Amino acid sequence: MAAAMGRKLVDSLKSKEFREYLMSTHFWGPIANWGIPLAAMADLKKDPKIISGTMTTALCLYSLTFMRFAWRVTPRNMLLFACHITNFTVQSVQGARCIEYNYMGGKNRVAAQEPAKLPVAEEAKK
């Protein structure tokens, strides 16, 4: 049974339709778009003070728009849909981090955790 499924997969990968799909914008457009959510995932570990709330909101709206497009186009572009639902999710997390840091006391908690810095003149006296 597994051999038959494997043969069927190999046959479909060798098909003319699959080769045509690999050479279409239906495939390469979403592949190029994956850079946006991958960059956002990398930014999840960075300091929240560098997050732009305006850009995060714009990227959420962009992804919502293109999720709808990917769903409505015929045939449905599930690769594009997956890319934009991933981007929307990651941008929403970034937005929540931005709101928590800027408006819910995150900035104050970070400042309280940093050691007090003495002026340069006082450090020189020690």
Side-chain angles (χ1 to χ4, degrees):
M1 180 165 176
M5 286 178 30
R7 171 58 58 198
K8 188 174 181 180
L9 176 65
V10 169
D11 288 342
S12 68
L13 292 176
K14 289 181 177 180
S15 71
K16 183 180 182 209
E17 292 83 18
F18 186 72
R19 286 193 308 270
E20 287 176 358
Y21 173 69
L22 287 179
M23 297 301 136
S24 71
T25 55
H26 215 69
F27 175 75
W28 288 107
I31 293 298
N33 263 316
W34 272 101
I36 298 169
L38 291 175
M41 285 181 217
D43 288 346
L44 287 173
K45 295 184 183 208
K46 293 185 179 175
D47 196 351
K49 71 181 173 186
I50 66 170
I51 300 170
S52 167
T54 306
M55 190 63 183
T56 301
T57 303
L59 285 168
C60 282
L61 294 173
Y62 160 76
S63 284
L64 283 172
T65 302
F66 278 94
M67 270 193 290
R68 182 180 185 280
F69 170 78
W71 190 258
R72 297 293 303 240
V73 70
T74 304
R76 286 190 175 144
N77 193 335
M78 297 310 287
L79 188 57
L80 184 64
F81 186 80
C83 171
H84 284 294
I85 200 163
T86 302
N87 188 47
F88 179 77
T89 303
V90 177
Q91 294 298 338
S92 296
V93 171
Q94 289 288 70
R97 290 179 67 218
C98 179
I99 290 168
E100 195 280 326
Y101 180 78
N102 289 310
Y103 303 108
M104 299 179 78
K107 206 181 283 188
N108 296 333
R109 280 191 293 279
V110 169
Q113 291 175 352
E114 291 179 359
K117 295 182 180 177
L118 298 172
V120 176
E122 289 182 29
E123 287 182 17
K125 290 179 187 178
K126 289 184 175 182

